[in-house]
Amino acid sequence: KQEVTQIPAALSVPEGENLVLNCSFTDSAIYNLQWFRQDPGKGLTSLLLIQSSQREQTSGRLNASLDKSSGRSTLYIAASQPGDSATYLCAVSLIKAAGNKLTFGGGTRVLVKP
Amino acid sequence: KAGVTQTPRYLIKTRGQQVTLSCSPISGHRSVSWYQQTPGQGLQFLFEYFSETQRNKGNFPGRFSGRQFSNSRSEMNVSTLELGDSALYLCASSPDRGDGQPQHFGDGTRLSIL
């Protein structure tokens, strides 16, 4: 059974500092890994998707890396801003035949202080 | 392009009642998945529908059911509501089965059981 863990559960940093969010998974037979952002009372916003054949993906200040062999992914957010305050979730989908089922980590709640 | 639309946004029910939640996917998306989010269990997969057929199911009791219509809109039904069913129910859509495209989420339906 696939298990996804995100540590720490909460993180507080001053504005301008780089954020490093960690995600680990137990089954390396993933199809892809997706990072999401969730604001209070809202749904999930997709940030980055990394296919199992890729090592990293970048979008603006965001960079996500994937190491399948060690079962880890890291989301880097450069030069954090107060608007980056949210909960960040990672989710993996298994082999293609498993359809679109996502297994989520518990999330990391981020607070960026002005 | 409109995003994933979930209705209603909020619902209050009492134990023993039943409820139906609705999800309209992004135009052209054929896969619709449902998730339950609670503070204690996090995000858990309920089921996925593709071309009006359920092709994935999570570990939830039979009180939770769903269906998908020919226009890809989906409904989720919960019968004999229990206090523990209080949660944010999220719907996600994607273009096709396991093709590596990111899933897009709606803002959810907040269900409260009294």
Side-chain angles (χ1 to χ4, degrees), chain A residues 4-5 15 18 21 50 53 59 63 70 74 83 99 101 112-113:
Chain A
V4 181
T5 304
E15 182 178 2
N18 296 332
L21 307 178
I50 311 176
S53 58
S59 176
N63 174 277
S70 66
T74 303
K101 174 183 175 180
V112 180
K113 298 178 180 178

Side-chain angles (χ1 to χ4, degrees), chain B:
Chain B
K1 204 173 190 180
V4 178
T5 304
Q6 291 188 246
T7 56
R9 288 296 313 280
Y10 304 94
L11 265 178
I12 300 175
K13 293 285 186 179
T14 57
R15 283 183 298 173
Q17 287 187 310
Q18 74 166 15
V19 67
T20 299
L21 313 181
S22 179
C23 173
S24 293
I26 292 172
S27 178
H29 286 194
R30 296 190 291 166
S31 167
V32 174
S33 301
W34 289 89
Y35 293 82
Q36 181 195 67
Q37 187 177 30
T38 60
Q41 299 297 319
L43 271 154
Q44 294 184 289
F45 174 79
L46 281 156
F47 29 65
E48 179 200 5
Y49 286 87
F50 179 80
S51 293
E52 302 179 62
T53 301
Q54 185 185 91
R55 65 180 182 187
N56 256 315
K57 189 177 188 306
N59 296 323
F60 279 82
R63 301 185 297 106
F64 292 82
S65 63
R67 60 177 174 168
Q68 186 180 34
F69 302 95
S70 58
N71 62 358
S72 294
R73 189 178 71 86
S74 177
E75 288 182 347
M76 186 190 108
N77 185 76
V78 188
S79 62
T80 318
L81 286 165
E82 301 177 359
L83 291 177
D85 297 333
S86 293
L88 180 65
Y89 290 88
L90 292 165
C91 165
S93 74
S94 63
D96 204 348
R97 172 181 179 172
D99 63 351
Q101 293 298 309
Q103 293 197 46
H104 298 271
F105 282 75
D107 279 341
T109 293
R110 172 76 63 183
L111 176 63
S112 299
I113 311 301
L114 303 179

